[in-house]
Amino acid sequence: MKQLNLFVAATLLLSATAAQAQTLPVFKADRMVKAFILNHATPRQASGLDMTGMDILTTKACHTTTYTYTGSDWQQQATTQTEYNTKGYVTATEIRGKDKDQRTEYTYDDTLEGLVTKTVAYTWDAATSTWTDSVTTARIDLTRDGKGRVSKETVYAYDEDSKTLEKVSEVEFGYSILTGKLNSVSTTLNSEDEQGNTVSIPVKVTILKWYKYDANKLFNFSMDNLGASLLDDKDNMIESATVTMTYNSIPLTGTISGKYTDTTSDLTFELPFMTQTVMKMQASVNVTDNYGSNKSTINIDMMGNNVLTATVTNTNNEYGDCIKTETSGTGNDDFDFGTDNGFDFGTDPDLGLDLDMNQSLTYNYEYYELPDNKTLKKSVVTNVLDKNTQTFRPTLKTTYDQYVDYVSGVTHIEGINENVRRSDTNGVYSLNGIKTDSYTASGKKGLYIVKEGGKTKKVIR
């Protein structure tokens, strides 16, 4: 599959310019912009809760249910059960829906914070009531130097055709002799040009100055999501760096510069050649109030012409949850951004709509009121602006059915949301959310969750 990222696109563009080509090459930027927009459009989690046996700082939702709106009623789509370790990292998710039941387990590195090194997927066998057919869908192998620092990262992903793990990337890390901090990241990009020819481009990022550096977290970023990935990393923030690459024996040197304050993050990437700038990208995030409301922008210029401008504005409520997201942007029609209709991001199965560059979303929340003026999120409804009627219509709903203190293991279950039909929820459930016909259907004694008449209780058998 042909996928050109920012660096490859800029390099190929340079090649076309040097050859005085009449047409510009394909610029695959849709993935980067989609990531940039959606990463900043996600409603934030509730700040916590205060219940007996549960700590406000170590509590997360462990069971949620999603619904889509059919025009007159909510139709349940899936339930998600989430498991955590004592650090708060997700170790497993079980998604049960109409189409497929799947469990995914995650393995983490022992020393680096939050780095997933392996994911394994399972499917549910109803006949035996077990999770079967385990498949390792991704794996990261780390090589360390004598000081325990990561010197190489090799990423493998499952290929559906060959039914095996295939290497998709390899990154090497270098460290300063004086400070011990990371000072270089090197990799080779492999892609295809318009003619289907394989393009291999060695790329090296040399960090000249860090604004913030955390040796306990692996610094990594996607080459085709440059702006979004770097701005989302709040632990390793580049203030100054150079990017060197070689394509068709032509050496190129670009620069990365970051400027930060308590409320703003700005990142600029420039790739000059001779007397002109082949590519310039600017991305920024600006926090606009004490609730975390923010405005994100991204601009891309090529050969002095603006080919992309995108803005995302998020408005938060007093609990820090996003209540409105507005996206807007324009793209140059002379460039193919990977789709037939400009920046059509495709259909989002969760929202049930086609995403585009200009969209407005609102989020309506229900909260459980807790002592000390604290709240627990009960549900959130996502509404999408209908551009024909200029009114917002509900499209997606998520209910937060169960919370867990991932340190103590104590769970808290609230009553079933009133918008959920009782016939869909009444019944007996195991602690992991699996519905059974009776207490003994699972063949095991233990603690069960009973939902009846809009109330929830625990029963020991």
Side-chain angles (χ1 to χ4, degrees):
M1 178 181 296
K2 180 171 60 177
Q3 289 293 341
L4 301 184
N5 54 53
L6 285 175
F7 294 118
V8 175
T11 306
L12 292 179
L13 176 59
L14 172 62
S15 177
T17 302
Q20 295 183 345
Q22 297 299 314
T23 59
L24 295 176
V26 174
F27 179 24
K28 297 279 187 178
D30 56 325
R31 285 196 301 163
M32 182 200 71
V33 181
K34 181 176 181 179
F36 187 83
I37 290 178
L38 295 185
N39 283 350
H40 293 90
T42 304
R44 297 186 177 187
Q45 292 294 314
S47 57
L49 67 152
D50 185 12
M51 297 180 187
T52 303
M54 302 179 76
D55 190 294
I56 184 174
L57 299 177
T58 57
T59 297
K60 293 185 178 182
C62 62
H63 190 282
T64 61
T65 307
T66 56
Y67 306 81
T68 56
Y69 196 65
T70 62
S72 59
D73 197 7
W74 290 102
Q75 183 69 37
Q76 181 173 321
Q77 295 298 308
T79 62
T80 301
Q81 185 77 24
T82 306
E83 301 170 15
Y84 304 90
N85 62 16
T86 55
K87 292 182 178 180
Y89 301 151
V90 175
T91 57
T93 57
E94 290 184 4
I95 300 177
R96 294 179 172 271
K98 294 182 177 180
D99 299 329
K100 185 179 182 181
D101 296 336
Q102 181 168 301
R103 175 180 173 87
T104 304
E105 296 180 352
Y106 305 89
T107 302
Y108 292 82
D109 183 76
D110 293 334
T111 58
L112 295 171
E113 295 182 15
L115 179 65
V116 176
T117 56
K118 185 170 70 171
T119 60
V120 180
Y122 301 81
T123 55
W124 178 252
D125 187 338
T128 60
S129 297
T130 57
W131 293 103
T132 61
D133 300 329
S134 64
V135 175
T136 300
T137 56
R139 192 183 81 230
I140 295 179
D141 292 345
L142 300 177
T143 303
R144 288 180 161 87
D145 62 17
K147 296 184 177 180
R149 302 172 301 194
V150 175
S151 58
K152 183 167 68 174
E153 174 193 43
T154 307
V155 181
Y156 300 86
Y158 184 75
D159 182 77
E160 289 288 349
D161 295 330
S162 64
K163 305 299 181 183
T164 60
L165 285 174
E166 294 189 356
K167 186 168 71 173
V168 294
S169 68
E170 188 172 88
V171 181
E172 295 186 354
F173 301 89
Y175 299 86
S176 169
I177 297 177
L178 296 177
T179 66
K181 293 182 179 180
L182 177 71
N183 65 1
S184 68
V185 182
S186 305
T187 189
T188 298
L189 304 178
N190 295 302
S191 188
E192 295 180 357
D193 59 18
E194 286 184 305
Q195 290 73 39
N197 301 316
T198 299
V199 178
S200 296
I201 304 175
V203 178
K204 182 176 182 180
V205 178
T206 301
I207 296 96
L208 304 177
K209 185 178 182 180
W210 289 102
Y211 176 78
K212 186 186 294 186
Y213 178 72
D214 186 349
N216 295 319
K217 290 193 174 182
L218 184 67
F219 175 75
N220 204 351
F221 61 90
S222 173
M223 291 292 185
D224 53 358
N225 292 337
L226 177 61
S229 57
L230 286 182
L231 285 177
D232 284 341
D233 190 343
K234 302 304 181 185
D235 299 292
N236 292 291
M237 303 168 72
I238 290 178
E239 188 168 331
S240 177
T242 60
V243 181
T244 57
M245 63 185 77
T246 302
Y247 173 71
N248 198 21
S249 300
I250 302 176
L252 300 171
T253 300
T255 59
I256 297 175
S257 59
K259 296 180 180 180
Y260 311 94
T261 68
D262 291 340
T263 58
T264 62
S265 297
D266 295 285
L267 190 75
T268 301
F269 167 67
E270 291 188 78
L271 185 64
F273 179 69
M274 298 179 69
T275 60
Q276 58 185 329
T277 299
V278 176
M279 178 181 176
K280 182 177 182 179
M281 186 201 72
Q282 294 176 296
S284 66
V285 177
N286 181 32
V287 178
T288 56
D289 62 26
N290 293 331
Y291 303 134
S293 302
N294 56 81
K295 182 177 182 180
S296 305
T297 60
I298 184 169
N299 291 280
I300 299 177
D301 294 334
M302 300 191 75
M303 306 302 295
N305 298 313
N306 181 260
V307 298
L308 170 67
T309 297
T311 301
V312 183
T313 303
N314 290 322
T315 304
N316 293 357
N317 61 15
E318 64 271 28
Y319 304 116
D321 293 318
C322 182
I323 58 176
K324 188 173 185 179
T325 295
E326 296 176 284
T327 65
S328 62
T330 58
N332 192 323
D333 294 336
D334 292 336
F335 285 79
D336 177 5
F337 289 89
T339 63
D340 294 331
N341 300 310
F343 274 98
D344 175 11
F345 290 145
T347 300
D348 188 306
D350 293 329
L351 296 179
L353 77 158
D354 290 336
L355 293 174
D356 58 35
M357 286 283 288
N358 299 279
Q359 187 66 65
S360 294
L361 306 174
T362 60
Y363 310 95
N364 297 334
Y365 296 88
E366 286 185 303
Y367 294 95
Y368 298 110
E369 297 296 331
L370 304 176
D372 299 326
N373 296 319
K374 294 182 175 63
T375 60
L376 171 64
K377 196 178 334 186
K378 181 179 181 181
S379 68
V380 56
V381 174
T382 300
N383 309 284
V384 179
L385 179 65
D386 188 318
K387 296 181 180 179
N388 294 323
T389 63
Q390 289 299 303
T391 59
F392 285 91
R393 59 178 176 84
T395 181
L396 177 70
K397 180 177 181 178
T398 300
T399 60
Y400 298 82
D401 312 315
Q402 186 180 44
Y403 283 81
V404 64
D405 182 333
Y406 56 80
V407 173
S408 67
V410 176
T411 60
H412 182 84
I413 305 171
E414 289 292 337
I416 300 302
N417 191 282
E418 296 177 357
N419 290 325
V420 183
R421 290 175 295 179
R422 291 181 179 178
S423 61
D424 290 339
T425 60
N426 287 349
V428 181
Y429 297 78
S430 63
L431 281 180
N432 62 4
I434 300 175
K435 190 174 183 180
T436 63
D437 294 332
S438 66
Y439 299 116
T440 59
S442 64
K444 297 181 181 179
K445 294 182 179 181
L447 182 62
Y448 292 86
I449 302 168
V450 180
K451 299 180 180 181
E452 185 177 6
K455 297 182 179 181
T456 302
K457 61 182 179 180
K458 294 181 179 179
V459 176
I460 299 177
R461 291 292 180 181

